[in-house]
Amino acid sequence: MPISKAMLAALKTLSYPDIDIKKTYKIKRQIENLKIRSVLDGDKYQIWDRTVKNNDYDVPVRIFYPKDSEQDKLIIYFHGGGWVIGNIDSYTRVCANLAKETNHIVVSVDYRLAPEYKFPIGLEDCYAVAKEIYVKGIFDGIKAENITIMGDSAGGNFTAAISLMARDRKEFKVFNQIMIYPATGNNYTESSIFDSVRTNGKDYLLTSNRVLGYMNLYMNNEDDRKNPYFSPLMETDLSDQPRTLIITAEFCPLRDEGEFYGQLLKENGNNVEIHRMPDALHGYFSLSPKFKAVKNTYVLVNEFLRRR
């Protein structure tokens, strides 16, 4: 249903425009961690924690295994949180729902966070996990064509970047990618070319100023903004990319850049679907599948997966 005047007023109250992310990101992490131990239905899931090597670092992963899964289809999931907050604990409910709703094995990646670990450390953690799954085939019987990489927000940014990295490094091929309101650009000031940065950047919980703050914590210096693995929209050659589903949210500052990235992928000869979820805010995918926007998102995701 459309956002009511009362809801809009509440959102404006909660959307603090001049919050200093550098001073508050640790508090936000603590708030995120309050979500972590929701009870799951043990009759429907098996969950394992493992690690994957990225050089000398062990990247934690959490595997969600629906007991009625066909066991031959898998999603690698990169969580959102502006490269700065979130972890596999705070995304346990999201990934459990994803496994249940898609009947896929889901591997959630606990990459290292900025500002302690800046670009490209978290991205390389995610790439290492993807490489382990694609190249070593650690899940018996799952073909590369039946693997999908997926992420929301900053995780959507990683999804796009890993597809580019896989093409460029030629170590494995990504066949399918799904991005939920991905960050693909590098400018969240008033000078942005994307209208949604301005029209949705103040009153809908995630402000443009917060995105800018997160990005500043993630990057080492201004040169990172020009790197396509940092900002996929900087890539001049978007050929040979995976079959792609991009879903944006109507009231999200990242809306236009996500859709623009999809259009560029199409123009470069890739198979791409782009959908805008009406009346949705950034972050809605973390809600229960009972919510209309989440339910409709799973319809789109499952249709995309079935056409694989």
Side-chain angles (χ1 to χ4, degrees):
M1 58 184 297
I3 295 178
S4 67
K5 290 183 179 180
M7 178 62 73
L8 182 57
L11 290 171
K12 287 183 178 181
T13 300
L14 293 170
S15 301
Y16 306 107
D18 36 33
I19 190 170
D20 188 342
I21 294 298
K22 289 183 180 179
K23 296 179 180 178
T24 61
Y25 74 88
K26 291 183 180 179
I27 296 173
K28 290 184 70 65
R29 285 180 182 172
Q30 292 172 0
I31 294 171
E32 282 291 303
N33 287 339
L34 294 176
K35 306 176 183 176
I36 64 178
R37 289 300 175 192
S38 53
V39 177
L40 300 178
D41 190 339
D43 292 333
K44 295 182 179 179
Y45 303 100
Q46 290 178 313
I47 300 178
W48 297 285
D49 287 344
R50 297 288 186 270
T51 60
V52 172
K53 279 287 185 185
N54 178 19
N55 297 319
D56 60 351
Y57 179 71
D58 292 324
V59 184
V61 299
R62 182 162 293 163
I63 303 166
F64 300 80
Y65 204 114
K67 290 188 176 179
D68 59 350
S69 169
E70 298 175 17
Q71 303 180 20
D72 65 346
K73 297 179 175 64
L74 183 142
I75 295 170
I76 307 171
Y77 197 86
F78 313 119
H79 69 77
W83 309 279
V84 173
I85 62 175
N87 53 46
I88 56 174
D89 286 332
S90 63
Y91 265 71
T92 286
R93 175 61 68 179
V94 174
C95 289
N97 287 334
L98 181 63
K100 175 186 175 184
E101 297 294 329
T102 63
N103 202 32
H104 278 52
I105 299 168
V106 174
V107 179
S108 179
V109 184
D110 204 10
Y111 56 85
R112 285 172 282 184
L113 299 173
E116 294 86 352
Y117 302 98
K118 293 180 178 289
F119 172 80
I121 293 174
L123 174 61
E124 291 288 358
D125 285 345
C126 293
Y127 183 88
V129 173
K131 180 181 175 181
E132 182 83 3
I133 293 171
Y134 278 96
V135 175
K136 294 189 177 180
I138 59 176
F139 291 90
D140 291 338
I142 299 182
K143 299 178 181 178
E145 295 92 328
N146 287 338
I147 299 171
T148 301
I149 63 172
M150 180 177 179
D152 66 297
S153 194
N157 171 277
F158 282 168
T159 299
I162 287 168
S163 293
L164 293 172
M165 293 167 72
R167 179 199 65 186
D168 297 343
R169 296 179 181 182
K170 297 180 172 56
E171 294 181 306
F172 59 90
K173 180 176 177 60
V174 178
F175 287 86
N176 313 285
Q177 64 178 354
I178 298 173
M179 292 173 262
I180 311 293
Y181 36 76
T184 59
N186 60 15
N187 184 358
Y188 300 96
T189 68
E190 287 294 316
S191 65
S192 172
I193 64 172
F194 298 114
D195 286 340
S196 63
V197 170
R198 291 176 291 277
T199 58
N200 295 337
K202 293 181 180 179
D203 298 329
Y204 301 101
L205 297 182
L206 179 68
T207 66
S208 298
N209 189 57
R210 291 185 194 181
V211 181
L212 179 62
Y214 286 135
M215 180 164 278
N216 286 340
L217 289 174
Y218 178 47
M219 70 183 186
N220 297 281
N221 52 56
E222 288 297 321
D223 287 342
D224 284 344
R225 293 181 187 271
K226 304 172 187 177
N227 190 322
Y229 301 155
F230 181 90
S231 171
L233 280 176
M234 298 302 295
E235 178 58 67
T236 57
D237 177 12
L238 288 172
S239 63
D240 193 25
Q241 286 301 281
R243 199 172 64 93
T244 301
L245 172 64
I246 295 176
I247 302 175
T248 64
E250 181 178 1
F251 297 109
C252 172
L254 307 181
R255 182 194 68 202
D256 292 351
E257 67 186 62
E259 293 173 3
F260 187 64
Y261 187 66
Q263 291 295 340
L264 290 179
L265 287 174
K266 279 186 178 182
E267 292 171 10
N268 279 264
N270 301 290
N271 183 347
V272 183
E273 296 178 37
I274 306 167
H275 299 273
R276 179 184 297 182
M277 196 57 56
D279 301 316
L281 304 176
H282 186 92
Y284 78 85
F285 190 61
S286 294
L287 299 173
S288 165
K290 295 179 181 179
F291 284 85
K292 181 178 180 181
V294 184
K295 183 183 296 185
N296 290 343
T297 295
Y298 276 119
V299 169
L300 295 172
V301 166
N302 280 319
E303 287 176 351
F304 176 81
L305 293 172
R306 280 194 293 269
R307 288 195 293 270
R308 182 169 42 204

